Amino acid sequence: MRKQQDIDRYYAETGLDAAAEADAQRRNQRAIEAALNGQVRGSAPAHAEEAPMRPRYNDGEYDGYAYYPLEAPAPRKRMSVRKAAWLARIAVLIVFILNVMCAIQFIAEPLRYAAAYGLPATQESAAMVAGLGVAFLMWNVTYPAVICSPRRFRALYVVVLIQQLVGLVGESFIWWRLINAGLGDGLMAAGIMRFVIFDAGGLVIMLAAFIVLALAIRRATV
C-alpha cells in the first residue's frame, strides 16, 4: 500500500498522471474499436462501449488495464426453430386430417351427401359427389411432405397456403353467386358456407404457423 502511495505521489509531482490517464483512454478506445470490429476475440464484453477500461492493481502494484464487468441484460425468450417447426407441423396436420376425412366420407357415402346439397338421389349425383371427394384427396397430396418437415419444404408450404387460398376464394365466389340468385337459404348455399368457414380457419392457422417458423429461421441465421 505504501508503494502505491509513492507511485501516486510521483505521478502527481511529475505531472505524468494526466498523461498516463490520456494514454490509457486512447488505448481503451482502440481496444474497444478492435473488439467491436472482431479484430480481438474475447477482449471486450458484449457492451464494450458501456464498460470502459480502468487501471488494475495486484497487491498495490500496477497490473495493466481491465474492463469493468457489467451485468448484461437478460436475453428475450424467443421460440426456437424446432418448436416453430412443430407448431407448423401440427397446424398443417389438423387441416390435412379434416380434409381427408371429408374426402373419404364423400367417396364412401356419395348419395348421403348428394341429398345434403339438394341433388337428387341418383347415380349421376353420387358420381359427382364422389368425384368431389377424389378432388379433395388430390388437393391434399402436398400436405404430407410439409407435415414431415415444414422447415425443409418451406416452398411446398407456400404452395399449400396458395391452395387453401384458392379454395377459399373459389368457394366464396360460388356462395356469392348463389346469394345473388336468391338461393342463399338453400341447402347448397349452407353447405358451401361450411366449406368457406373451414377453409378460412385452416388458412389462418397455417399462415400464422408459417410466419412464426419463418421468423424463427431468420433469427437463427442472423
Side-chain angles (χ1 to χ4, degrees), residues 7-195:
I7 293 174
D8 294 339
R9 184 167 54 253
Y10 171 76
Y11 276 116
E13 292 175 354
T14 58
L16 294 177
D17 191 21
E21 180 66 23
D23 181 65
Q25 291 179 357
R26 287 193 297 270
R27 285 189 294 168
N28 174 42
Q29 185 63 31
R30 287 196 298 269
I32 292 175
E33 292 176 356
L36 293 177
N37 292 330
Q39 298 174 4
V40 180
R41 293 180 178 272
S43 59
H47 300 276
E49 68 279 4
E50 300 177 6
M53 296 177 70
R54 291 290 185 270
R56 178 179 59 201
Y57 297 95
N58 186 11
D59 293 333
E61 296 184 3
Y62 172 73
D63 190 26
Y65 282 75
Y67 287 102
Y68 273 105
L70 294 179
E71 183 177 354
R76 295 171 56 186
K77 292 184 178 180
R78 293 178 176 177
M79 182 173 293
S80 65
V81 176
R82 184 177 180 182
K83 291 182 179 179
W86 270 106
L87 179 63
R89 186 177 288 114
I90 292 172
V92 178
L93 179 62
I94 291 173
V95 178
F96 174 73
I97 291 175
L98 294 176
N99 280 341
V100 171
M101 287 177 57
C102 181
I104 292 175
Q105 289 174 347
F106 275 28
I107 295 172
E109 300 179 293
L111 286 177
R112 173 185 174 186
Y113 292 97
Y117 287 98
L119 300 175
T122 62
Q123 291 302 318
E124 289 83 0
S125 298
M128 188 185 71
V129 174
L132 185 59
V134 173
F136 282 175
L137 290 179
M138 292 172 58
W139 180 358
N140 285 268
V141 169
T142 53
Y143 285 60
V146 179
I147 295 170
C148 179
S149 180
R151 181 180 180 182
R152 179 181 178 185
F153 296 106
R154 276 188 294 166
L156 193 57
Y157 198 156
V158 174
V159 173
V160 168
L161 293 174
I162 294 174
Q163 288 177 324
Q164 195 78 6
L165 179 61
V166 170
L168 175 61
V169 172
E171 292 157 0
S172 299
F173 177 72
I174 295 171
W175 179 79
W176 176 78
R177 291 189 65 177
L178 289 174
I179 295 296
N180 286 343
L183 301 174
D185 297 331
L187 292 176
M188 181 67 74
I192 293 176
M193 175 51 65
R194 286 194 291 268
F195 280 113

